[in-house]
Every structure is written in C-alpha cells, then in structure tokens.
Amino acid sequence: MADNLTLKALSRLLLYPEAALQDAAPHLAEALTEDGRLDAATRLGLMPLLRSLAGEDLYDLQEAYVGLFDRTRRLSLHLFEHVHGESRDRGQAMVDLAALYAQGGLAIDANELPDFLPLFLEFLATRPEAEAQGLLADVDHILATLEERLSERGSLYAAVLTAVRHLAGAEAVTAPEAKDRAAPDLDALDLTALDKEWEETAVTFGPGDAASCGVDRFRTQLRAAQRDARHPARQPAA
C-alpha cells in the first residue's frame, strides 16, 4: 500500500522550520501536485506558505512559528489540549493513541506526545484512505477551529488545515475578518479562562468498521496541560 504523499507533505509543513524543511519545500510542492489528492484551488492556497518556507530567513520563520503555536493553547498543535476534561483522561487518551500507532506499525519515541498533529498526520499517511478519513473526521471540530483561528490571524498555516480537512471531505471554514493581532490571547496557564473559551465535544478516535488495527474506539475529555510540557518541534517518526 502506497503512502499518502499529500498527508506526508502536509505533516511536514506543520513542523518547526529547519534548514532541511526549507530545502525540501520545492519537493513538497511537487509531491502535492503529483499525488493529485488536492484540487487546484487547495494546492494554490498552500503556495504562499511553501514560498515563505523556501525563501525567508530561517530565524524569522522559527520565531514566527514559536510565536504562533507555542505561546497560546488556542493554537496548539497538540490535539488533546483542545478538549476539556480531567488530566487522568488525557493520560489514558495518550496511551490509547500510542497503541493505535503501534498496531499500525508506527513506533514513536518515549518523549514524543502522540497527539502532536504532524505525527498524527504522519501516521494517517500510512493507513488505508477510508480509515484515515474516519480518524480525521474524529478530530474535525478541532481542525476546523484551528483553521478559523489561523485565518483570523492571517497566518499562512491556515491553508494547511484547509487542505487536511479537504482530504476528509469537510467544508472549508469561511475566512473571517482579521481580528486585531495585537489583542492578547488567553493566559497559557489560566485553566478557568480556557474552560470558558474552549469547551469542545470529546474526541472520538477509533477505526470503526473501516480499520483493521483492532484498537477499540475511545472517547475522552482532556484538560489542557501546561505549555512547557509540550514538544511542538518534535519530528514525526520515520
């Protein structure tokens, strides 16, 4: 079974920018075109980000990435941070998701958090298309909110979320008017404010009838962990 090159490319576009990613940007653009899973409009939406990664100063790219994804929970690339619940539930959800990866043949390091979106997409790229679409649908409420919030900031990364959701057959979020980018985000450690701002339905992962890995569907509600416990720049396992 051939890997889904589009999901692999989108996974890499969400990683912390490094020189290797800059060098790979033209090849990622080629893969997105040759794989043929995205329509022309969705691919066109990714081009500004690809040009930015290929042509801008690496330090500036890294600074912008950290400022976007590492300083507020509202844009965290860790899926389980966006689901309200008890911390013990989050731990079990991590165990279940890691088990799903293992049964699908993806081994991750002990210090990698399984809910890191690029890692999740890396795993889905190796799964049958129907299974990958089903798992993306399980987290679409999170992906849609990230897409909207990135669009509000005028971020080029919004196009990646649009493309991921396109693969799952979801409708793109209507681009909102840009908000004041100087407005402060929720305090990263303010759980009370987070609960008021962000009360999502539980994430339901699981293969259902479409998968063969044998992991039971699970439902979980998770409270956000402190930002310092995250690993936003971790690379997906090869």
Side-chain angles (χ1 to χ4, degrees):
M1 179 181 62
D3 286 353
N4 185 323
L5 296 181
T6 296
L7 274 175
K8 287 177 101 45
L10 296 174
S11 168
R12 280 151 178 75
L13 288 177
L14 289 175
L15 291 173
Y16 180 75
E18 295 182 344
L21 180 58
Q22 283 195 306
D23 294 341
H27 303 293
L28 295 177
E30 292 175 5
L32 289 168
T33 299
E34 294 173 1
D35 196 42
R37 286 181 167 90
L38 297 178
D39 60 30
T42 306
R43 290 198 308 271
L44 184 63
L46 291 164
M47 290 304 107
L49 176 60
L50 286 160
R51 286 194 294 267
S52 173
L53 290 172
E56 293 189 18
D57 179 77
L58 181 58
Y59 178 81
D60 291 341
L61 291 169
Q62 292 173 338
E63 185 177 38
Y65 182 97
V66 170
L68 192 65
F69 295 120
D70 199 32
R71 291 182 182 168
T72 169
R73 286 191 177 122
R74 300 180 78 243
L75 295 175
S76 174
L77 293 180
H78 290 273
L79 296 170
F80 293 155
E81 289 202 18
H82 296 292
V83 183
H84 173 268
E86 298 299 326
S87 60
R88 63 178 178 273
D89 294 330
R90 178 178 183 167
Q92 185 59 53
M94 292 290 194
V95 170
D96 291 342
L97 187 53
L100 183 66
Y101 291 166
Q103 294 195 27
L106 177 65
I108 63 175
D109 293 338
N111 60 345
E112 287 184 306
L113 297 183
D115 65 335
F116 185 43
L117 180 54
L119 179 59
F120 184 61
L121 297 180
E122 180 79 5
F123 170 71
L124 296 187
T126 69
R127 307 308 302 159
E129 196 148 343
E131 181 185 341
Q133 288 180 338
L135 288 167
L136 284 174
D138 288 340
V139 296
D140 185 64
H141 59 294
I142 297 174
L143 301 179
T145 303
L146 285 171
E147 180 188 6
E148 181 177 12
R149 288 175 175 172
L150 289 166
S151 295
E152 287 174 350
R153 289 170 172 255
S155 171
L156 301 181
Y157 284 99
V160 183
L161 276 298
T162 301
V164 170
R165 299 186 65 241
H166 176 83
L167 292 176
E171 294 185 5
V173 172
T174 301
E177 293 184 5
K179 294 183 178 179
D180 181 2
R181 297 181 194 176
D185 288 302
L186 292 174
D187 189 314
L189 302 182
D190 187 349
L191 296 181
T192 301
L194 180 67
D195 289 342
K196 292 179 180 178
E197 167 69 18
W198 184 241
E199 294 180 355
E200 289 292 348
T201 57
V203 174
T204 304
F205 278 117
D209 295 335
S212 59
C213 61
V215 176
D216 291 337
R217 296 181 69 86
F218 62 90
R219 299 187 63 85
T220 182
Q221 293 182 317
L222 304 164
R223 186 175 299 276
Q226 292 187 1
R227 178 169 61 87
D228 290 344
R230 301 209 307 269
H231 300 276
R234 293 292 303 172
Q235 295 275 348

XYZ file of all heavy atoms in Angstrom, residues 22 86 91 96 104 131 145 157 195 211:
75
model
N 13.319 23.843 4.748
C 13.475 24.855 3.703
C 13.933 24.215 2.396
O 13.396 24.506 1.325
C 14.495 25.912 4.133
C 13.965 26.915 5.140
C 14.878 28.121 5.257
O 16.072 27.981 5.508
N 14.332 29.301 5.052
N -10.476 15.894 32.447
C -9.553 15.680 33.560
C -8.214 15.173 33.043
O -8.135 14.450 32.054
C -10.148 14.658 34.546
C -11.447 15.108 35.191
C -11.276 16.380 36.003
O -10.193 16.565 36.591
O -12.209 17.184 36.030
N -4.115 11.343 29.972
C -3.094 10.312 30.002
C -3.553 9.026 29.341
O -2.804 8.405 28.571
N -3.892 5.251 24.566
C -4.711 4.625 23.535
C -4.251 5.018 22.137
O -4.209 4.190 21.220
C -6.186 5.010 23.719
C -6.796 4.396 24.971
O -6.217 3.428 25.497
O -7.842 4.893 25.413
N -0.596 -0.028 14.158
C -0.497 0.344 12.751
C 0.921 0.331 12.232
O 1.158 0.664 11.075
N -9.851 4.660 6.385
C -9.507 4.758 7.800
C -8.969 6.138 8.134
O -9.333 6.737 9.160
C -8.472 3.696 8.158
C -8.070 3.718 9.627
C -6.953 2.728 9.940
O -6.743 1.799 9.149
O -6.293 2.909 10.986
N -11.584 24.571 14.095
C -11.342 25.719 14.965
C -9.933 26.261 14.762
O -9.722 27.479 14.732
C -11.569 25.335 16.435
O -12.900 24.836 16.577
C -11.393 26.541 17.340
N -0.333 29.336 7.641
C -0.552 27.956 8.066
C -2.020 27.549 8.005
O -2.326 26.354 8.040
C -0.019 27.736 9.481
C 1.486 27.632 9.552
C 2.265 28.727 9.922
C 2.137 26.440 9.256
C 3.649 28.631 9.983
C 3.520 26.343 9.317
C 4.269 27.441 9.682
O 5.644 27.336 9.736
N -11.412 27.110 30.107
C -12.664 26.380 30.141
C -13.809 27.208 29.576
O -14.688 26.696 28.890
C -13.004 25.973 31.577
C -12.067 24.879 32.080
O -11.424 24.226 31.237
O -11.997 24.692 33.298
N -11.281 0.052 9.788
C -9.880 -0.196 10.103
C -9.642 -1.652 10.436
O -10.545 -2.394 10.764
C -9.446 0.668 11.266
